[in-house]
Amino acid sequence: MSISNIAQSDSRPFIDYFYKWEREKADQVYLRQSVGTTYIDYTWQEVGRQARSMATYLRSLDLPPQSPIGLVSKNCPHWLIADIAILISGHISVPLYPTLTADQLHSVLEHSQCTVLFVGKLDNWSTMRAGVPTGMLCIAFPENQPDVMLRPWNDILAMYPPMVESPKPEPDDLFTIVYTSGTTGRPKGVMIDYRAAAAIAESTRNKTFQDLANARFFSYLPLCHVAERNIVEALGLITGGTIYFVESLATFSQNLAAARPTHFLAVPRIWTKFQQGVLANMPQSRLNRLLQIPIVSSLVKRKIRQRLGLNDTVMILTGAAPMPIPMLQWFRRLGICIQDSYGMTENLGAVSIMPADKIKDGTVGRVNDGMNVRIDPATGEILTQAPWNMRGYYRDPELTAKTLTSDNWLHTGDIGELDAEGYLRITGRLNDLYKSPKGEFIIPSKLESGFSENPFIDQICVMGTQLPQPIALLVLSEVGQKTSPTDVSKSLTDTLIASNSQLHAYERIKKIILVKDTWTVDNNLMTPTLKIKRKEVEKRYQAAIDAWYDQDEVVVWEA
């Protein structure tokens, strides 16, 4: 299907789907919040009642049409109810990461020109609240602790009746402003209109099982991220499915097993944790033996899938960061077919997806219908063109002009290759490239992939802009932490030798540094979507790099 046909075939806004299920599934459960061993359930009718009352209140504020309204919270039912209220009141939702510092929150709220902010489940509101601009109206979800700065959600609902009409936005109206996670610098406000959101829904309909009955979704990745918003919020609305919310990280596994989602998205970091959890209960050698016995193999695979909560899935996706091929193949042996996907906020995360029936490892799948991709012959950069490209960066015409060409080609900043069958391969990122002392380009992600099969490694970051040869900083996995340092060092040395044998001389890694601290969102070494902040990792360890490099040992343990 051509871009023009997709753009004209269906301009139905997502809110139309909500109106449909509000009428047809009024008493069926739409949102489920896990609380211990029970749930707090919200039917489509109840979600409509709360969203419509909140929309009445927002209308009463006499804000200019299409006013940006902020939303900062961890995932919970009221996140989606607030988002729906913003949309039906005729305004623009501006979802924000719940891990922002006070300074970051202030910067984004000022830049987005929000005058209202919904505040939900947060771990650090006591410090974050200092970032709220003076005079801003803040509305608290029911989950919040009492705070005189916040107007209670339930108090508003008690005072304002539900909106009766069901307004529909125009295709060119702004749907949302999504601020990027800041992997490569200051967060940017990506403007997405209703036409773009409708075009992507039409293009990916067959690939995402949108017509599946009784669809179930599991929400835990930040809903302000474009991938979670697509796979959970948008598909939940389109299918009329049920969305389950994780209670906390401590209950993640039991919540997922209970939800048994039909659609599931997880970034590579989550899949690594799943794999480590399986191997902690069953060593790889024993698992290999059991999988070779036909009847036993089926039982083992089914039990593992059930324990993970993935026995009913029809679509399992990964994205946001490179997924090691050996890990994809490892899960495939268990009957868990993970479909790699690729995209970015600026093209609604929908450039390509791996066909479940025609997998080509080493690629991020086949380019979606309606998406055009070309490779810049000079730099190798991937450029995309689709009706769901962003409109531009909010209040930043200069950066918009650098990123979007006049004929709507988007500069992704990623380097890649496109084969004859339309499969896309990502080989690096322009911002991550650096030159060796002799002038050869080095791609860190390429070198990191050589370590993907070693079970002792949890996280890896290759660096070396000022060094004769690259080095690899590693964080040990749980298995590695329980193994003797001698065995770990030998295993990593063997992996290094094998990996270097496949590389050019200038690419070969000289040292492995085992650092003590795990890289997390809290210490600012990972984004909220669990991607490593390469520049922050380099900055953290820069002072010790030269001393580590000069040590005689190949594997160096941080003191």
Side-chain angles (χ1 to χ4, degrees):
M1 186 181 290
S2 70
I3 286 180
S4 58
N5 287 340
I6 287 177
Q8 298 171 7
S9 62
D10 188 359
S11 59
R12 184 180 188 181
F14 284 136
I15 200 64
D16 263 16
Y17 294 100
F18 175 74
Y19 297 149
K20 169 184 170 66
W21 303 123
E22 185 187 27
R23 292 191 308 269
E24 298 178 9
K25 291 187 170 185
D27 296 326
Q28 294 186 32
V29 175
Y30 171 31
L31 309 176
R32 305 199 81 186
Q33 175 64 63
S34 302
V35 180
T37 57
T38 62
Y39 295 97
I40 299 174
D41 288 340
Y42 299 82
T43 63
W44 287 94
Q45 183 180 61
E46 177 60 17
V47 169
R49 182 188 72 82
Q50 294 197 26
R52 288 174 176 278
S53 288
M54 188 56 66
T56 299
Y57 172 64
L58 294 176
R59 286 271 185 94
S60 76
L61 299 176
D62 291 326
L63 302 173
Q66 289 264 285
S67 288
I69 294 180
L71 200 172
V72 61
S73 174
K74 293 196 291 186
N75 297 15
C76 63
H78 284 92
W79 199 108
L80 293 186
I81 298 173
D83 201 34
I84 292 169
I86 294 169
L87 300 184
I88 64 178
S89 65
H91 297 304
I92 304 165
S93 66
V94 184
L96 307 172
Y97 283 99
T99 53
L100 295 177
T101 65
D103 287 344
Q104 290 168 335
L105 178 65
H106 185 85
S107 175
V108 175
L109 288 176
E110 288 280 354
H111 183 267
S112 64
Q113 300 179 306
C114 288
T115 54
V116 179
L117 175 67
F118 285 96
V119 181
K121 291 174 60 177
L122 295 166
D123 293 330
N124 60 338
W125 173 243
S126 60
T127 55
M128 186 187 288
R129 70 198 300 272
V132 178
T134 302
M136 178 169 287
L137 171 63
C138 295
I139 302 169
F141 288 176
E143 294 88 350
N144 278 80
Q145 296 297 315
D147 186 329
V148 294
M149 185 178 181
L150 308 174
R151 181 161 189 188
W153 176 282
N154 288 334
D155 287 1
I156 294 173
L157 262 55
M159 295 177 62
Y160 292 85
M163 179 188 292
V164 176
E165 67 267 32
S166 297
K168 296 183 181 181
E170 295 298 320
D172 290 330
D173 286 346
L174 270 188
F175 163 50
T176 188
I177 301 172
V178 181
Y179 277 82
T180 59
S181 60
T183 310
T184 57
R186 179 181 64 81
K188 302 177 288 288
V190 176
M191 296 187 290
I192 304 294
D193 55 37
Y194 282 94
R195 188 186 305 277
I200 189 178
E202 175 66 16
S203 171
T204 60
R205 177 175 298 276
N206 293 331
K207 296 181 180 180
T208 52
F209 301 92
Q210 293 177 6
D211 297 320
L212 180 73
N214 301 315
R216 296 185 301 279
F217 304 86
F218 185 69
S219 183
Y220 70 99
L221 290 171
L223 267 165
C224 54
H225 188 270
V226 68
E228 185 83 352
R229 211 139 176 236
N230 282 348
I231 301 301
V232 173
E233 182 178 24
L235 278 185
L237 283 173
I238 292 169
T239 62
T242 302
I243 299 173
Y244 290 71
F245 292 89
V246 66
E247 182 177 3
S248 67
L249 286 178
T251 62
F252 180 94
S253 296
Q254 69 185 60
N255 293 160
L256 177 58
R260 296 180 296 109
T262 56
H263 299 66
F264 183 65
L265 166 69
V267 295
R269 176 95 174 124
I270 297 296
W271 292 113
T272 298
K273 292 295 184 184
F274 284 170
Q275 183 186 48
Q276 291 173 356
V278 171
L279 295 178
N281 292 316
M282 185 182 299
Q284 186 68 60
S285 56
R286 182 167 179 242
L287 180 60
N288 289 341
R289 289 196 303 271
L290 293 177
L291 292 178
Q292 291 173 353
I293 306 172
I295 297 178
V296 175
S297 174
S298 297
L299 294 172
V300 169
K301 288 189 282 190
R302 184 166 67 247
K303 186 174 182 179
I304 291 173
R305 292 197 304 268
Q306 287 175 339
R307 185 174 295 172
L308 291 175
L310 301 179
N311 222 29
D312 295 344
T313 49
V314 295
M315 166 163 275
I316 305 177
L317 289 174
T318 190
M323 182 77 162
I325 295 173
M327 187 174 295
L328 290 167
Q329 296 171 339
W330 187 89
F331 277 103
R332 217 175 290 150
R333 288 187 66 201
L334 300 177
I336 298 173
C337 179
I338 303 171
Q339 294 173 252
D340 217 330
S341 60
Y342 167 70
M344 55 198 296
T345 309
E346 287 84 344
N347 49 40
L348 270 172
V351 175
S352 64
I353 188 171
M354 186 71 71
D357 58 349
K358 194 174 182 183
I359 291 171
K360 187 178 285 191
D361 285 332
T363 74
V364 289
R366 184 181 286 154
V367 173
N368 286 319
D369 293 340
M371 169 62 70
N372 290 331
V373 171
R374 64 182 174 89
I375 308 298
D376 187 305
T379 64
E381 183 184 11
I382 299 167
L383 286 85
T384 70
Q385 184 194 61
W388 54 87
N389 273 357
M390 68 170 181
R391 183 183 295 184
Y393 292 117
Y394 188 61
R395 299 180 63 200
D396 201 334
E398 184 177 341
L399 184 58
T400 298
K402 290 179 180 178
T403 308
L404 271 179
T405 67
S406 59
D407 53 352
N408 201 39
W409 282 98
L410 173 73
H411 288 269
T412 66
D414 291 316
I415 305 168
E417 303 165 354
L418 187 66
D419 71 16
E421 293 184 289
Y423 283 79
L424 185 62
R425 186 185 306 275
I426 309 298
T427 58
R429 183 152 183 84
L430 283 174
N431 286 343
D432 291 342
L433 291 180
Y434 71 89
K435 284 186 177 181
S436 72
K438 295 183 179 179
E440 301 97 339
F441 279 109
I442 292 176
I443 305 174
S445 59
K446 172 187 174 182
L447 310 188
E448 291 163 358
S449 66
F451 291 79
S452 59
E453 291 190 68
N454 193 303
F456 296 154
I457 300 172
D458 187 25
Q459 296 169 295
I460 180 170
C461 180
V462 167
M463 58 186 290
T465 51
Q466 306 298 324
L467 299 173
Q469 293 290 139
I471 64 170
L473 303 182
L474 305 181
V475 175
L476 283 180
S477 66
E478 291 182 20
V479 175
Q481 293 171 20
K482 296 175 182 177
T483 305
S484 74
T486 300
D487 289 344
V488 168
S489 293
K490 182 181 185 308
S491 174
L492 294 178
T493 301
D494 291 344
T495 299
L496 179 65
I497 293 171
S499 176
N500 279 345
S501 69
Q502 306 298 313
L503 302 174
H504 296 292
Y506 63 86
E507 296 176 305
R508 290 171 188 161
I509 293 172
K510 177 75 171 177
K511 297 278 182 184
I512 292 174
I513 315 298
L514 289 169
V515 300
K516 293 188 293 187
D517 294 334
T518 301
W519 306 329
T520 67
V521 175
D522 291 338
N523 61 22
N524 197 39
L525 299 180
M526 296 193 84
T527 70
T529 53
L530 307 183
K531 290 186 285 188
I532 292 172
K533 291 185 175 182
R534 191 178 299 278
K535 288 182 171 56
E536 292 298 325
V537 171
E538 292 183 7
K539 188 188 305 181
R540 180 181 179 116
Y541 299 104
Q542 191 63 56
I545 293 300
D546 288 341
W548 285 337
Y549 192 87
D550 290 338
Q551 290 190 34
D552 293 333
E553 296 85 1
V554 173
V555 178
V556 178
W557 296 69
E558 184 181 14

